[in-house]
């Protein structure tokens, strides 16, 4: 096979490879666009799912309807966070205002450590 024939054969092979990659590149572009669109829906979907739960729907009922649990759960509402913080603050205040119970210590007058013979 001459150099010219080898080059022609290589170009045929490359043309076939180029043709074969075209559909993949096209679908890859469409897929990337759809993934971006899906990512934009994650937050509103999570909020809507949480609203349905708050409205009395159980996880099992939502699953039976075909609603998948969101990838990212929305953050808890600040109202619940403030209520928990207030309860924790009350416990801290009440424990700080009452003196700590200190057990009575029996002093024998000896400064030697326990177990040491004097």
């Amino acid at each position: 096979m001459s150099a010219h024939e080898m080059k022609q054969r290589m170009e045929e092979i490359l043309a076939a490879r180029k043709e074969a990659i075209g559909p993949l590149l096209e679908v890859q572009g469409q897929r990337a666009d759809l993934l971006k669109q899906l990512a934009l829906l994650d937050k509103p979907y999570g909020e809507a799912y949480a609203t349905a739960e708050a409205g009395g729907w159980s996880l099992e009922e939502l699953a039976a309807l075909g609603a998948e649990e969101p990838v990212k759960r929305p953050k808890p509402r600040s109202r619940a966070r403030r209520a928990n913080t207030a309860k924790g603050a009350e416990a801290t205040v009440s424990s700080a205002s009452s003196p700590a119970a200190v057990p009575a210590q029996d002093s024998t007058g000896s400064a030697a450590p326990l177990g040491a013979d004097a």
Side-chain angles (χ1 to χ4, degrees):
M1 186 181 281
S2 71
H4 178 68
E5 291 172 335
M6 288 175 67
K7 185 177 178 184
Q8 188 176 0
R9 179 71 182 132
M10 179 208 51
E11 288 175 358
E12 290 171 3
I13 292 171
L14 288 177
R17 291 180 70 194
K18 186 177 179 181
E19 188 177 323
I21 196 72
L24 175 62
L25 296 176
E26 185 178 321
V27 171
Q28 174 61 27
Q30 293 171 351
R31 184 176 184 266
D33 291 342
L34 290 172
L35 288 172
K36 286 177 188 175
Q37 291 176 17
L38 184 61
L40 292 173
L41 290 175
D42 281 345
K43 184 177 178 182
Y45 181 80
E47 291 170 351
Y49 194 94
T51 300
E53 278 185 292
W57 289 91
S58 71
L59 297 175
E60 294 79 18
E61 291 170 327
L62 291 170
L65 292 172
E68 296 178 6
E69 197 166 346
V71 176
K72 285 186 172 181
R73 302 286 295 194
K75 293 180 181 176
R77 298 195 176 164
S78 60
R79 202 172 19 159
R81 189 178 283 163
R82 272 191 253 132
N84 290 339
T85 305
K87 289 179 184 176
E90 290 174 10
T92 305
V93 170
S94 65
S95 65
S97 63
S98 62
V102 178
Q105 296 179 355
D106 185 26
S107 176
T108 58
S110 170
L114 289 176
D117 292 330

